[in-house]
Amino acid sequence: MLLQKWVLKDLKSSLLNCKNTLSISKIHAVLITSGISNNGALAAQLIASYARTGDVNIAQKLFDDLPKRGIDSWNALLIAYSRGNSPPEVINLYRKMSLAGIRPDSSSFTVAIKACTSLLDLKSGREIWKHAVECGYGSDIFVGSSVLNLFVKCGEMDEAMSVFDGMSRRDVVSWSTVIAGLVRSGRAGEAMDEYRRMQREGLEGDGVVMLALIQACADVEDLKMACSVHGCIVRRGFPVDVMVQTSLLDMYAKNGKVEIASCIFRTMSCRNVVSWSALISGYARNGHAGVALELLVEMQSCGFEPDSVSLVSALLACSHVGFSRLGREIHGFVVRRYELDRVVGTALIDMYAKCGSLSHAQALFERMSSRDVVLWNTIIASYGIHGQGKKALLIFHRMIKARARPDHVTFASLLSAMSHSGLVEEGQYWFDAMIKDYKIQPMEKHYVSLIDLLARGGRVEEARRLIEDVECELGIAAWVALLSGCINHKKFLIGEMAAKKVLELKPDCPGIYTLVSNFFAAARKWDEVAMVRRVMKTAGMKKVPGYSVAEVDGRLHAFLVEDKSHPLYEEILKILEDMEHRMRALGYVSKTEFVLQNVKEEVKVRMLRNHSERLAIAFGILKTRPGTRLLITKNLRVCGDCHEAIKFMSIVAEREIVVRDAKRFHHFKNGSCSCSDYW
């Protein structure tokens, strides 16, 4: 008896050390000749050994020939199919095992659930997990970790968290799975909370956790946490490879620290397309369009072919500055090198629309063979910024007919389009339909769009009541929308209340303080104007200077308000003076009430003439052939006098002049504007 135990132990050890099928076959032959081949433990070891060398068929035959199969044999074959990357066979074998009346153990459940994860078979995974709980393995760390991974991979984070909280013991792997899963599911804030809970339980994250936290900091734009995570990586000596460095630079860029992102990029010993794309994207998102485009050129000079991310980022940069020529060149590059997919196609449509070529955007949209909700939303928004609310609504109806389900972004874009077109009743109707028919609960941006719709249409009292009646407390954007409407329609009583509310909320944007100052100036409350300026000075804020950019001969030319630094300033001024003389003969009269400063009338006239958009238009007239369409991009909203003046300019210059301001597009032609003086 003792001798047989010793032999069995020795044979098991020999099987574990076998490296090929021939060695296993020799031991198998010994077992058969000695009459102990049907020993359960040895049979299981034989099955596992054959599987380890890739001979699953022999393992299956050996299993089939066993007169009696214990849990060890079943588990051995389950593992054999799992190692052979045959998840359907694993699940089928698990079900046969249950039907045979064999009670699965921790290994059985773990391997079976792993197979479900490979197939993303959530239904089977839930059934096996339910069986595991019934068998008393609900708190088992191995079974729990496998089902945790299943729920995370399938995006079922609520179920994953329920399993995680019920585990009797949690290791670093399970914490990593949960934290990474929360980040991938867009729940970055919760991911960081779980990391803090992990630390309180005395565990430190591994590299997977650190990468997930970097992504979380990028998603929630938490700069303090970002610096803390970066410091932890440095202190604990984690390997900093190209993946980690790229993630870090992306994290800093998304937190607005493009200088730090650039510093990390420049110190990288090994760069790839992803790292280049992350930096280009960072600069584009943070408004540094020129740098983003320069990086795209530098990337190609270093021998890297732009990928879809870098191309989309470059198109975003073109959209920001209105650089249509480079946008068209990128379009040509894409057509020559790649098959146009939805992502790049959507970016191109957005670029054409924001560079004033709505017809090109529409033509490209019509050529897209596959359309998702993002593509539909983009074309709706494109019509909106060009003031074509009725066409935006027609596109929305086409979207519904195509059975594409609108989301919260769709309605935000649609409401904005209607706001820019004065479609107040239609906007109210679709706001209600969003809630009743599409079961989409309004977010703050929807309320802000509706308030803007009402206030822009002169119904400021309704807009004020809406702010007060909404159950959730609306932020500063709602009051800014109300205040803008009050300025446009000279509703000074409600406007003063809105202005004071805006100041109470202590905005961190200089542009909002400027809006409040402009309101008080329009109301001739000069003491309040001085007060706002003192607040800005105390906070270290400066008024954002107005500037305009003209695209001429494939180059961008920028002009500041009253910019006398341009080498052609005297010629530009001469064109403006000549045009103004001819404009006045046609009936143009300066609207000096739009100069919100307490200065003399003739000074106001001169100041209006030197607004940045007029300088850019005059430069375009000076440097282009007669009849050339001009595209001007301005960082602020065009003032009422400039809007009126450019209508006259389009007559005397005999040109179409397209002006894109901070809110929308204005197409001036033959003395009229596409907005019909509603903006």
Side-chain angles (χ1 to χ4, degrees):
M1 189 71 177
L2 287 173
L3 181 61
Q4 189 179 30
K5 285 184 178 180
W6 179 84
V7 170
L8 289 172
K9 183 179 179 181
D10 186 56
L11 288 170
K12 282 184 181 180
S13 177
S14 299
L15 283 169
L16 285 171
N17 294 322
C18 288
K19 303 296 183 184
N20 53 58
T21 304
L22 181 61
S23 301
I24 299 168
S25 299
K26 289 179 180 178
I27 297 174
H28 192 181
V30 171
L31 291 174
I32 293 171
T33 56
S34 61
I36 57 172
S37 60
N38 290 332
N39 178 279
L42 275 175
Q45 189 64 60
L46 268 173
I47 293 168
S49 297
Y50 278 121
R52 192 168 59 250
T53 58
D55 285 317
V56 181
N57 292 334
I58 298 177
Q60 177 70 61
K61 188 176 184 306
L62 180 59
F63 177 83
D64 292 339
D65 291 341
L66 285 174
K68 186 178 180 182
R69 301 164 189 146
I71 185 64
D72 289 346
S73 301
W74 284 96
N75 283 346
L77 194 59
L78 282 169
I79 294 168
Y81 279 115
S82 178
R83 284 179 174 165
N85 197 25
S86 303
E89 285 79 1
V90 173
I91 296 170
N92 289 334
L93 187 63
Y94 167 83
R95 289 184 173 137
K96 288 178 181 177
M97 175 182 178
S98 299
L99 290 172
I102 303 297
R103 183 183 174 87
D105 62 8
S106 174
S107 296
S108 316
F109 290 122
T110 300
V111 174
I113 294 171
K114 180 185 174 185
C116 296
T117 305
S118 299
L119 297 171
L120 297 180
D121 185 351
L122 191 59
K123 183 180 178 182
S124 297
R126 283 180 174 139
E127 291 174 0
I128 297 168
W129 169 237
K130 182 181 177 182
H131 190 193
V133 172
E134 291 169 353
C135 291
Y137 291 95
S139 61
D140 183 273
I141 187 171
F142 300 107
V143 179
S145 294
S146 63
V147 78
L148 188 65
N149 194 37
L150 168 71
F151 288 144
V152 167
K153 290 280 178 64
C154 293
E156 300 294 331
M157 285 310 301
D158 289 337
E159 288 182 87
M161 292 307 299
S162 176
V163 171
F164 183 69
D165 290 335
M167 292 171 68
S168 60
R169 184 167 64 88
R170 296 183 282 258
D171 58 9
V172 172
V173 174
S174 54
W175 281 103
S176 301
T177 302
V178 162
I179 292 170
L182 287 168
V183 172
R184 283 196 299 272
S185 300
R187 296 159 66 168
E190 291 177 62
M192 290 194 286
D193 290 340
E194 288 303 315
Y195 175 65
R196 294 185 185 101
R197 185 156 72 111
M198 176 183 180
Q199 287 182 309
R200 286 196 297 272
E201 293 192 10
L203 290 173
E204 288 292 342
D206 58 7
V208 175
V209 171
M210 291 297 114
L211 275 173
L213 288 175
I214 291 171
Q215 182 62 56
C217 293
D219 291 346
V220 301
E221 298 180 5
D222 187 335
L223 182 59
K224 185 178 179 181
M225 184 68 175
C227 294
S228 176
V229 171
H230 192 181
C232 182
I233 290 171
V234 173
R235 286 193 307 273
R236 295 183 57 202
F238 282 109
V240 182
D241 55 15
V242 65
M243 181 184 294
V244 173
Q245 288 176 310
T246 300
S247 299
L248 285 169
L249 79 85
D250 180 64
M251 174 187 73
Y252 280 115
K254 286 179 178 174
N255 278 278
K257 297 296 180 181
V258 286
E259 302 86 359
I260 300 176
S262 180
C263 183
I264 292 171
F265 178 79
R266 297 300 173 190
T267 58
M268 290 174 67
S269 58
C270 178
R271 299 170 190 159
N272 57 22
V273 172
V274 179
S275 52
W276 277 101
S277 299
L279 190 63
I280 292 170
S281 176
Y283 273 107
R285 277 197 308 267
N286 284 283
H288 302 287
V291 180
L293 297 175
E294 288 171 7
L295 282 167
L296 182 70
V297 175
E298 184 184 348
M299 174 185 182
Q300 293 177 82
S301 68
C302 292
F304 291 94
E305 188 89 344
D307 62 357
S308 61
V309 175
S310 53
L311 291 171
V312 167
S313 300
L315 288 168
L316 174 63
C318 293
S319 301
H320 281 169
V321 297
F323 200 173
S324 61
R325 177 173 174 176
L326 182 58
R328 291 194 301 272
E329 289 177 358
I330 293 172
H331 188 181
F333 178 87
V334 171
V335 170
R336 290 191 303 272
R337 303 287 184 91
Y338 305 108
E339 185 176 338
L340 188 64
D341 60 18
R342 277 202 308 262
V343 175
V344 177
T346 301
L348 281 166
I349 290 168
D350 180 67
M351 181 276 297
Y352 278 122
K354 288 179 178 173
C355 289
S357 299
L358 185 58
S359 59
H360 284 85
Q362 177 63 41
L364 184 56
F365 173 79
E366 297 298 346
R367 290 201 300 271
M368 297 294 289
S369 58
S370 176
R371 298 169 185 154
D372 60 4
V373 67
V374 178
L375 188 61
W376 285 104
N377 292 347
T378 300
I379 195 65
I380 289 170
S382 297
Y383 276 112
I385 61 174
H386 283 269
Q388 299 190 28
K390 290 184 178 179
K391 286 190 176 179
L393 186 55
L394 287 173
I395 290 288
F396 175 77
H397 284 303
R398 281 181 60 188
M399 176 183 182
I400 300 302
K401 192 174 180 180
R403 297 187 177 180
R405 182 162 183 81
D407 60 10
H408 61 95
V409 178
T410 312
F411 284 101
S413 300
L414 186 63
L415 289 168
S416 177
M418 292 177 176
S419 176
H420 285 301
S421 304
L423 304 175
V424 180
E425 284 74 21
E426 291 91 336
Q428 289 179 304
Y429 171 83
W430 285 106
F431 181 87
D432 293 337
M434 174 184 75
I435 302 169
K436 295 175 185 175
D437 300 338
Y438 295 93
K439 310 303 179 188
I440 296 174
Q441 287 305 306
M443 300 164 68
E444 182 175 4
K445 62 185 176 184
H446 299 111
Y447 284 116
V448 171
S449 292
L450 186 58
I451 291 161
D452 184 62
L453 177 81
L454 294 167
R456 199 183 289 268
R459 293 157 66 167
V460 295
E461 181 61 40
E462 286 182 65
R464 182 189 64 79
R465 284 200 302 270
L466 177 60
I467 294 176
E468 293 173 349
D469 293 344
V470 172
E471 292 181 3
C472 60
E473 186 174 350
L474 298 177
I476 196 168
W479 293 101
V480 167
L482 176 60
L483 180 60
S484 296
C486 291
I487 294 175
N488 294 343
H489 296 280
K490 295 181 170 54
K491 302 288 186 178
F492 296 125
L493 190 62
I494 295 176
E496 186 168 359
M497 180 270 292
K500 289 179 179 177
K501 182 65 179 179
V502 168
L503 291 176
E504 282 176 21
L505 293 171
K506 297 181 178 179
D508 56 5
C509 173
I512 295 178
Y513 281 104
T514 301
L515 178 70
V516 175
S517 175
N518 289 348
F519 167 77
F520 286 129
R524 298 297 184 263
K525 292 179 175 285
W526 302 110
D527 290 342
E528 282 80 356
V529 172
M531 177 271 295
V532 173
R533 289 177 179 171
R534 283 196 301 272
V535 171
M536 291 180 70
K537 187 176 181 180
T538 302
M541 293 183 182
K542 293 182 180 179
K543 181 180 177 181
V544 178
Y547 69 85
S548 297
V549 177
E551 183 182 351
V552 175
D553 294 331
R555 292 184 60 195
L556 300 177
H557 302 264
F559 296 85
L560 289 169
V561 61
E562 296 196 54
D563 189 356
K564 299 179 182 180
S565 64
H566 197 281
L568 298 176
Y569 176 73
E570 294 299 328
E571 294 177 65
I572 291 169
L573 188 61
K574 185 178 178 181
I575 287 176
L576 286 173
E577 289 173 345
D578 178 63
M579 289 183 72
E580 189 167 316
H581 177 74
R582 295 162 63 191
M583 287 157 56
R584 291 190 185 281
L586 293 172
Y588 167 68
V589 178
S590 300
K591 295 184 176 183
T592 54
E593 66 268 23
F594 287 100
V595 177
L596 302 175
Q597 295 184 35
N598 197 8
V599 294
K600 293 181 179 180
E601 197 71 11
E602 60 268 23
V603 176
K604 291 181 178 181
V605 172
R606 179 184 58 77
M607 291 173 68
L608 288 169
R609 186 189 302 140
N610 279 278
H611 276 191
S612 63
E613 55 266 56
R614 298 199 201 184
L615 296 172
I617 291 169
F619 175 78
I621 292 171
L622 178 66
K623 300 296 288 184
T624 59
R625 292 191 302 272
T628 303
R629 176 178 180 265
L630 298 179
L631 173 63
I632 310 299
T633 303
K634 183 173 181 178
N635 67 322
L636 303 177
R637 188 176 185 268
V638 66
C639 80
D641 179 68
C642 284
H643 189 271
E644 186 69 15
I646 299 171
K647 287 195 290 185
F648 282 94
M649 285 180 171
S650 70
I651 297 174
V652 300
E654 298 181 344
R655 295 172 183 245
E656 180 184 2
I657 303 171
V658 180
V659 177
R660 169 185 151 192
D661 70 9
K663 295 291 184 181
R664 54 165 296 159
F665 276 86
H666 300 267
H667 295 255
F668 298 92
K669 194 173 184 179
N670 299 325
S672 63
C673 179
S674 59
C675 74
S676 301
D677 296 339
Y678 185 92
W679 86 100

